[in-house]
Amino acid sequence: MPTSCAPSSLSPADEQRYVVAVRTLCEFTAKSGDLDVRFTPSPTASEGMAGHLTVAARRGADYQTELTVSGDYRHLRVRGRADGYDPRANRLEEVKTYRGDLALQPANHRALHWAQLKVYGCLLCQQLDLQEIELTLVYFDIATQRETLIGERHAASALRTFFEQLCQRFIAWAEQEVAHRKQRDLALEALRFPHEGFRRGQRPLAEAVYKAACTGTHLLAQAPTGIGKTLGTLFPQLKAMSGQRLDKVFFLAAKSPGRHLALHSLKTLLGETRQQPLRTLELVARDKACEHPDKACNGASCPLAQGFYDRLPTAREAALNAAWLDQQALRSVALEHRVCPYYLSQELTRWVDLVIGDYNYYFDLGGLLHGLTQSNEWRIAVLVDEAHNLVERARQMYSASLDQSQLAALRNEAPAALKRPLDRVHRQWNALHSEQTAPYQRHDALPTKLLQALQQAGSALMDHFSEAPSSIDPALQAFYFDSLQFLRIAELFDAHSLFDIHKRDIGRGRSASLLSLRNLVPAPFLRARFEASRSTVLFSATLSPQHYYRELLGLPDTCRWIDVESPFDHRQLQVTVVDDLSTRYQHRQSSLRPIVELIGRQFANRAGNYLAFFSSFDYLEQVAQLLTERFPHIPLWRQSRRMDESARAAFLARFTPDGRGIGFAVLGGAFGEGIDLPGERLIGAFIATLGLPQLNPVNEQVKLRMQQLFGAGYDYTYLYPGLQKVVQAAGRVIRGQDDRGVVYLIDDRFAQRQVRALLPAWWSVEYASIADCTAPGHRLEAVPG
Ligand code: SF4
């Protein structure tokens, strides 16, 4: 691999300068007191934007909005966008939209608003060469559309003094940040691959990632399991960080094991002592990081929220000195400084170099990392682990649903002021409900009247919450949040999504409906996320066919593709398609006995640990029962519905190197991917399903839409998602160069040409009848040991 890659744009002057957003500067230097994330009825993003537009429309024709301002103090550059300036009155305004009683606004919020406005004022005076300026905080009440103006006149010199004071407080930090950056870059340039050589396949992957990083392109990398993908992507990406002047790298995983694997690989890379200046932060969900789950996140309730901002500076410094901030390390720093670990981790995202967290921190509608990247104009690179999961996860991020029975329960208990708006929602919903004749129906258009009623009910709920913020009914609040999400997603509704209604019986002759906005193609939303990243590498063992992922995820045409050759020999894995047996629903009963005979025969030939995958728990249970009757000596254990973490661990613990037996699992569930059972811990898999999503009215509508959009309805809805699960599950068997195993693909459809085309190229597939596979002395019985 080359040793450096030169950036194309930044000048030497930029290298010396530390750039900070006005908001960050003020939050860093002027925020104090308690953390308070109590639910306060605040305006939605669109209400906030509308509020700003209303204020601007009320001003004169000369009124200027969104003024870009910037200024320097020593080598610190401060920049931002001021809301509005009236040149005739020489008045600069900062507009804040709100709901409820302005008098209840916490003092530290008001102080922060003033600090921001004064900095904008200083920068504008400098830009326009003004001696003084009128500064006005405009508080715009969303409910009444009234403005409260709080104004002060300031001399430019006084504002400059204020600005310099903030900068002085920040500059020591900034200098330390610049020094850290230099050290970090030097260390990363000197970073060496931690093993003697790359594994087979790992080198081409690492080179492709490095090239993508250096050329600022995105990369789809299909690379087989077992080559060390995590290290093969992290190492080159970190190596390119200095040359590309990257501010941060985000490693995003679909599930916790992906995060843990990244941390483990990083330890290998940095050495156990981790004496590297690279600041690494693991982001975990609030419910996993919270120290007081019985309390609320405000100073009156939680001791770790009380005085949070007063203790934050020392906690932040201690954390960044530690540099290695996995969940455990961050927790000990937080508790030592008596601050909340979850909110400390959120704060630290601004200052660390590498963030390891879930997809949603970047790809979600309000993803923290994406928001910060935009507001701070960071240069970032993103690594997406097990990227085949991103399609489904992103769909969920941009979908929403609303249940009528939730509303029915609320209406009976609702306070008088909410009765009318909730009744209006009820009426509109009922009208929709009664028009529907079938249990399931897709609609072309959104129910405008119902959405309007929901909007009005949302405003009424907000006003209700503002009047008594300390005694909010959780059920009302839950309905409010669900409606809000539904309205937000409805605003984005287009051909990429479906709107449908499910009608269901709720007893006593009554029925209720479930409204769903289902995103099918997240591409329009993810595109902006890819644009915000200098380079994104999406890697997984199953990214075929690539056009499916490119189109659904919205990857640009310039995104490169690499299909890394498998390091394994086809002789390591004996793949047999049982081509005369059907596992279709109508043939299940007749398939049970042959499958059981096949498992029994294979087990007799080579006793050891196997996984058997089925399309449903019912099917799994029927085969398991018959196997117990027919071959009582074969130990078996089953996946069950809703297994918790310890039950899952117990299931996997049975796969010991000298163990014997069959683990029964559902394809696409917890054991179909992301588990590592090397060597004798797993020597084979039986896959008695193509993994096709269930045939139901929703999936049939998805198929129609996929046909309209991509001309491949069946493939995009059923075939590709199904086969991706099959290949992932089969990928559990061979994990290392010395592994030997078998995979039985049980269904005649595996022999079809378009299905065969989706199986990994390195497999050598045999086709055999069930009679051949179960006949004693059959040629497929001997497995190389
Ligand atoms: S410890 Fe828990 S309750 Fe306290 S501030 Fe943190 S997340 Fe909120």
Side-chain angles (χ1 to χ4, degrees):
M1 255 168 60
T3 51
S4 73
C5 55
S8 50
S9 57
L10 295 186
S11 68
D14 287 315
E15 285 177 40
Q16 305 305 322
R17 193 169 283 134
Y18 191 90
V19 182
V20 63
V22 171
R23 197 188 164 101
T24 307
L25 173 76
C26 295
E27 283 183 352
F28 190 90
T29 49
K31 217 165 172 183
S32 61
D34 293 353
L35 172 92
D36 192 343
V37 285
R38 225 179 308 215
F39 168 67
T40 46
S42 54
T44 61
S46 56
E47 283 177 332
M49 272 191 282
H52 276 73
L53 290 175
T54 307
V55 171
R58 288 173 181 171
R59 305 298 188 255
D62 296 343
Y63 192 71
Q64 299 163 15
T65 55
E66 298 271 307
L67 289 96
T68 303
V69 288
S70 75
D72 296 344
Y73 174 78
R74 292 171 49 199
H75 50 280
L76 191 66
R77 169 153 297 176
V78 181
R79 66 185 177 198
R81 251 187 228 140
D83 283 337
Y85 177 60
D86 180 345
R88 283 171 192 258
N90 185 23
R91 185 168 60 228
L92 181 67
E93 296 186 327
E94 178 68 12
V95 181
K96 303 286 180 195
T97 53
Y98 76 100
R99 278 183 186 277
D101 188 352
L102 190 59
L104 296 178
Q105 185 179 58
N108 61 356
H109 288 201
R110 181 71 56 85
L112 193 63
H113 297 162
W114 269 121
Q116 281 174 14
L117 183 52
K118 284 182 180 176
V119 172
Y120 286 131
C122 165
L123 300 179
L124 193 68
C125 283
Q126 206 170 295
Q127 221 153 286
L128 303 182
D129 205 12
L130 303 171
Q131 293 307 307
E132 58 172 19
I133 193 166
E134 178 81 23
L135 299 181
T136 305
L137 281 175
V138 179
Y139 287 104
F140 181 80
D141 186 336
I142 292 289
T144 63
Q145 303 275 299
R146 271 199 219 113
E147 296 174 28
T148 303
L149 307 185
I150 308 172
E152 288 176 1
R153 197 156 194 88
H154 286 272
S157 56
L159 293 176
R160 180 74 199 176
T161 307
F162 177 78
F163 171 70
E164 288 186 358
Q165 279 167 355
L166 292 197
C167 289
Q168 272 161 17
R169 271 151 62 194
F170 187 77
I171 211 154
W173 179 263
E175 275 163 4
Q176 169 216 272
E177 286 298 286
V178 170
H180 161 72
R181 181 70 169 254
K182 275 189 189 148
Q183 277 179 8
R184 178 201 84 173
D185 286 351
L186 282 173
L188 291 180
E189 278 165 22
L191 197 64
R192 292 281 164 263
F193 194 66
H195 304 301
E196 272 188 17
F198 287 91
R199 288 193 211 169
R200 209 174 126 199
Q202 201 176 28
R203 177 181 281 276
L205 173 66
E207 284 178 350
V209 173
Y210 190 73
K211 198 167 167 196
C214 292
T215 51
T217 45
H218 304 304
L219 174 71
L220 258 183
Q222 179 167 269
T225 331
I227 66 162
K229 284 194 288 289
T230 310
L231 193 57
T233 50
L234 260 175
F235 171 67
Q237 188 59 73
L238 293 177
K239 198 80 185 138
M241 212 170 170
S242 152
Q244 289 304 301
R245 310 276 188 268
L246 290 184
D247 295 305
K248 309 200 183 260
V249 170
F250 303 147
F251 185 101
L252 305 173
K255 296 174 189 147
S256 313
R259 267 196 347 254
H260 298 150
L261 195 60
L263 288 163
H264 178 75
S265 298
L266 206 62
K267 277 184 192 168
T268 312
L269 189 56
L270 305 180
E272 269 308 316
T273 54
R274 298 185 289 286
Q275 290 302 324
Q276 287 275 352
L278 185 80
R279 296 169 178 166
T280 303
L281 172 71
E282 180 188 14
L283 280 180
V284 295
R286 193 169 83 171
D287 58 343
K288 296 225 169 79
C290 178
E291 289 291 319
H292 296 286
D294 56 326
K295 298 195 165 40
C297 304
N298 63 74
S301 172
C302 177
L304 299 180
Q306 196 178 54
F308 177 89
Y309 290 107
D310 302 330
R311 292 190 295 279
L312 178 61
T314 47
R316 180 168 50 208
E317 208 172 326
L320 296 182
N321 283 337
W324 179 261
L325 297 163
D326 61 5
Q327 184 180 1
Q328 213 181 358
L330 181 89
R331 177 175 184 263
S332 30
V333 174
L335 295 188
E336 196 182 319
H337 293 270
R338 289 178 295 121
V339 293
C340 165
Y342 174 73
Y343 288 102
L344 177 63
S345 75
Q346 304 267 298
E347 161 67 23
L348 291 173
T349 49
R350 291 158 176 82
W351 312 109
V352 296
D353 307 305
L354 173 63
V355 180
I356 297 174
D358 186 273
Y359 289 170
N360 70 322
Y361 287 107
Y362 189 72
F363 289 109
D364 207 353
L365 196 54
L368 172 80
L369 296 177
H370 178 246
L372 286 173
T373 298
Q374 290 214 302
S375 58
N376 292 292
E377 297 178 30
W378 287 335
R379 275 167 79 88
I380 58 148
V382 180
L383 296 174
V384 186
D385 177 45
E386 301 291 4
H388 59 274
N389 288 301
L390 187 55
V391 172
E392 205 40 52
R393 285 290 309 279
R395 283 175 169 170
Q396 287 162 15
M397 292 172 202
Y398 297 94
S399 297
S401 62
L402 217 47
D403 190 342
Q404 195 176 18
S405 48
Q406 193 187 359
L407 174 70
L410 283 182
R411 278 177 61 238
N412 301 334
E413 310 287 321
L418 294 176
K419 265 213 150 330
R420 279 183 63 187
L422 290 179
D423 282 350
R424 206 172 300 130
V425 174
H426 173 69
R427 274 199 307 280
Q428 295 301 339
W429 204 325
N430 260 356
L432 208 61
H433 187 79
S434 53
E435 279 167 18
Q436 183 159 329
T437 47
Y440 171 83
Q441 211 166 311
R442 180 189 68 77
H443 297 256
D444 286 330
L446 295 183
T448 325
K449 287 185 181 160
L450 175 60
L451 293 180
Q452 280 166 357
L454 274 172
Q455 194 104 45
Q456 288 159 358
S459 301
L461 280 163
M462 280 279 213
D463 296 338
H464 170 71
F465 297 149
S466 332
E467 278 160 26
S470 51
S471 56
I472 293 173
D473 174 6
L476 275 179
Q477 192 177 324
F479 179 72
Y480 169 74
F481 283 138
D482 289 349
S483 312
L484 201 64
Q485 173 70 356
F486 195 84
L487 288 166
R488 259 188 217 140
I489 297 295
E491 271 180 34
L492 307 168
F493 186 69
D494 210 333
H496 51 61
S497 297
L498 292 181
F499 168 55
D500 59 38
I501 305 180
H502 251 116
K503 215 169 163 179
R504 66 182 200 289
D505 196 358
I506 52 168
R508 291 201 228 136
R510 291 173 308 145
S511 61
S513 54
L514 181 74
L515 312 181
S516 302
L517 290 164
R518 300 173 199 274
N519 176 259
L520 312 182
V521 186
F525 307 111
L526 302 191
R527 213 163 271 139
R529 268 81 182 152
F530 294 125
E531 278 165 14
S533 154
R534 185 162 160 73
S535 169
T536 307
V537 177
L538 302 105
F539 57 98
S540 159
T542 48
L543 289 175
S544 288
Q546 53 163 314
H547 61 80
Y548 172 77
Y549 292 94
R550 282 178 182 274
E551 285 170 331
L552 292 187
L553 297 177
L555 288 161
D557 293 344
T558 51
C559 174
R560 287 161 194 263
W561 162 257
I562 181 176
D563 189 359
V564 177
E565 203 191 320
S566 172
F568 306 127
D569 190 303
H570 66 90
R571 283 167 298 193
Q572 288 182 254
L573 184 68
Q574 195 168 51
V575 184
T576 305
V577 166
V578 181
D579 60 7
D580 61 347
L581 196 62
S582 163
T583 60
R584 293 170 186 85
Y585 188 73
Q586 63 271 30
H587 304 135
R588 286 228 175 121
Q589 277 308 318
S590 57
S591 74
L592 301 180
R593 187 158 291 278
I595 292 174
V596 164
E597 292 302 322
L598 176 67
I599 295 175
R601 165 61 53 197
Q602 176 60 36
F603 195 83
N605 288 337
R606 190 184 176 197
N609 295 318
Y610 294 85
L611 270 165
F613 292 101
F614 299 89
S615 53
S616 67
F617 283 102
D618 286 346
Y619 198 3
L620 175 160
E621 193 53 45
Q622 289 175 34
V623 177
Q625 267 182 22
L626 196 57
L627 187 78
T628 312
E629 286 165 24
R630 177 78 180 85
F631 300 106
H633 65 284
I634 301 181
L636 67 86
W637 53 99
R638 302 166 169 88
Q639 177 182 1
S640 60
R641 290 183 172 89
R642 288 179 285 280
M643 266 175 143
D644 62 17
E645 224 160 285
S646 63
R648 289 203 296 268
F651 182 95
L652 291 175
R654 303 226 18 198
F655 292 85
T656 55
D658 50 1
R660 304 264 184 281
I662 321 286
F664 276 66
V666 166
L667 193 74
F671 306 111
E673 64 171 274
I675 58 164
D676 194 20
L677 299 169
E680 295 296 305
R681 291 184 66 193
L682 182 70
I683 60 165
F686 306 91
I687 304 177
T689 167
L690 267 83
L692 307 182
Q694 205 187 24
L695 194 73
N696 61 32
V698 177
N699 284 335
E700 284 298 282
Q701 287 298 331
V702 176
K703 185 173 105 176
L704 272 178
R705 183 60 56 86
M706 291 293 159
Q707 184 64 29
Q708 286 161 5
L709 294 174
F710 306 110
Y714 175 77
D715 293 353
Y716 273 51
T717 310
Y718 296 104
L719 187 62
Y720 298 158
L723 262 291
Q724 178 265 314
K725 289 187 212 122
V726 168
V727 177
Q728 275 290 340
R732 302 308 97 204
V733 179
I734 302 297
R735 314 294 292 177
Q737 297 293 345
D738 299 327
D739 287 8
R740 298 282 184 279
V742 294
V743 167
Y744 286 97
L745 302 177
I746 308 166
D747 195 288
D748 56 278
R749 288 164 292 177
F750 280 114
Q752 290 172 0
R753 191 178 46 81
Q754 75 270 33
V755 176
R756 280 181 358 219
L758 295 169
L759 302 180
W762 71 274
W763 287 4
S764 165
V765 183
E766 304 263 2
Y767 296 85
S769 66
I770 185 69
D772 279 347
C773 293
T774 51
H778 181 252
R779 65 189 168 83
L780 294 175
E781 287 169 6
V783 177

